[in-house]
Amino acid sequence: MVYVGSRGIVASEPSVVAVDSLTGEVHAVGVEAQRMIGRTPATISATRPLRHGVIADFAVTEQMLRYFIGRAFDRRRAHPRVIVCAPSGVTEVEKRAVEEAALGAGARRVHLIEEPIAAAIGAGVAIEEPVGRLVLDIGGGTSEVAVISLGAIVVSRSVRVGGYELDEAISHYLRDTHQLAIGSQTAEAIKLQIGSAAPLARELRMGVRGRHLLSGLPTEIQMHSAEVREAIRLPMEEILRAITGTLEDTPPELAGDIARQGILLAGGGTLLRGLPKLVTDRTGMAVSLAESPLTCVAIGSGLALEHFDELSTSGTARHARHVSNWRTT
């Protein structure tokens, strides 16, 4: 997702790249490449060069970033300043890899901002105040839980569980329970159409097509939303443990603030049906959903562009005085 200052979000595509395994040539990026997953010949592989919020394939990531920078700017020789969102739990080596990939893709200068900070800014939270606020950001590769006060992260947990892991859990469940092999796009469609984190007032069903492991023939079964809940139970438990673990480490005064303010949900993964109820049942706290969970991280990082020179990769509280100008109105 790419945000350009004064223009807003100009691109929103999956981070997928189709590459010729023999020549290294990039055949497609984004939506076009995603359609190729599981459908390519042996010489072409459609992969996600970012896994769990960090770089898995440096060269392909650099080419992907070059593509998106080119999409955002018409000028062929544009060398923009770039802010990249990164999970709060990444190492210094992983941060450096992201910076080098962005610089290699044509960026003039690069800063990193933690995803929970960007999510809170994009959701309009007054993070510069001396008030504790808890943000849960569930993305594609990671889930971030962070307590924010005075413009900085006080306590955080980052677990490498996100939307892609939920998709994989659904695939494994169908393989183990129904002996049915499905692709990643089918698993994602199941999650979106009938997936839920808590029991629904009206349970859902859908037909799922795949290859039967015993007969080898194309087969269709009916899948129930309760089965999806069972399939994703373990990754959801890991996210819930991250929330409770963060709360256990939170200083008492900030914990009191969170009890009053509740928990803010951001990121596309928080759109899963029943997730607010599940979090409330586990923590006993009120839960609110960001106005635009899918885009608030990108919007928050875009608002931070206005204060690029004041940013530091550490995200320390000495920059909190600038944060009040980042909020959406």
Side-chain angles (χ1 to χ4, degrees):
M1 195 167 290
V2 183
Y3 183 108
V4 176
S6 76
R7 292 167 56 193
I9 294 175
V10 299
S12 178
E13 297 190 38
S15 53
V16 182
V17 182
V19 182
D20 190 310
S21 57
L22 298 179
T23 64
E25 179 186 355
V26 174
H27 283 265
V29 178
V31 173
E32 186 180 350
Q34 186 182 43
R35 289 199 295 264
M36 297 181 183
I37 293 179
R39 297 186 172 94
T40 59
T43 57
I44 298 176
S45 60
T47 60
R48 302 182 188 274
L50 300 173
R51 292 295 293 175
H52 304 299
V54 296
I55 292 176
D57 188 317
F58 185 89
V60 176
T61 299
E62 184 178 307
Q63 293 184 73
M64 181 183 71
L65 291 175
R66 185 177 293 112
Y67 166 83
F68 283 118
I69 289 174
R71 278 279 311 274
F73 294 95
D74 296 331
R75 301 184 304 276
R76 183 169 295 181
R77 295 188 178 182
H79 293 285
R81 297 182 302 175
V82 175
I83 288 178
V84 182
C85 292
S88 58
V90 297
T91 66
E92 290 300 319
V93 173
E94 291 167 337
K95 288 180 180 178
R96 185 60 186 161
V98 174
E99 292 172 354
E100 290 181 358
L103 290 170
R108 184 167 78 251
R109 291 173 59 196
V110 182
H111 274 310
L112 267 61
I113 183 172
E114 293 110 329
E115 287 182 3
I117 292 284
I121 295 171
V125 174
I127 64 172
E128 81 283 358
E129 297 178 354
V131 177
R133 303 175 189 274
L134 182 65
V135 177
L136 168 62
D137 172 31
I138 303 180
T142 61
S143 295
E144 309 283 315
V145 188
V147 176
I148 299 172
S149 179
L150 286 172
I153 293 177
V154 180
V155 181
S156 69
R157 294 281 178 96
S158 178
V159 292
R160 298 196 169 186
V161 175
Y164 300 145
E165 281 62 43
L166 299 183
D167 297 343
E168 290 177 4
I170 293 170
S171 296
H172 291 157
Y173 177 86
L174 283 167
R175 178 179 289 270
D176 296 340
T177 305
H178 296 283
Q179 290 75 52
L180 192 72
I182 62 170
S184 59
Q185 293 187 71
T186 301
E188 183 180 23
I190 294 169
K191 178 184 68 179
L192 295 176
Q193 291 188 36
I194 65 172
S196 70
L200 303 173
R202 181 173 175 269
E203 297 290 355
L204 305 172
R205 301 178 69 91
M206 73 173 287
V208 178
R209 297 183 180 90
R211 176 174 54 82
H212 199 278
L213 294 175
L214 299 180
S215 68
L217 299 176
T219 304
E220 179 175 347
I221 66 164
Q222 290 293 313
M223 192 172 188
H224 196 272
S225 52
E227 291 185 277
V228 181
R229 282 197 299 277
E230 176 60 26
I232 64 176
R233 180 175 56 83
L234 292 180
M236 290 307 304
E237 278 295 323
E238 192 168 349
I239 294 173
L240 292 171
R241 284 196 299 270
I243 298 173
T244 55
T246 303
L247 289 170
E248 290 169 1
D249 295 339
T250 301
E253 292 294 339
L254 296 181
D257 294 337
I258 294 168
R260 289 189 296 272
Q261 300 282 342
I263 300 173
L264 174 68
L265 304 184
T270 59
L271 294 172
L272 183 67
R273 297 174 186 84
L275 181 63
K277 182 180 185 303
L278 180 65
V279 175
T280 296
D281 291 345
R282 180 61 64 92
T283 64
M285 295 184 181
V287 172
S288 61
L289 196 64
E291 183 177 345
S292 180
L294 276 170
T295 62
C296 63
V297 172
I299 291 172
S301 60
L303 294 173
L305 279 169
E306 301 172 13
H307 301 270
F308 188 93
D309 292 329
E310 289 86 16
L311 279 172
S312 72
T313 55
S314 61
T316 52
R318 65 191 176 89
H319 297 295
R321 65 183 181 274
H322 302 289
V323 177
S324 60
N325 296 321
W326 296 356
R327 299 197 307 268
T328 53
T329 57

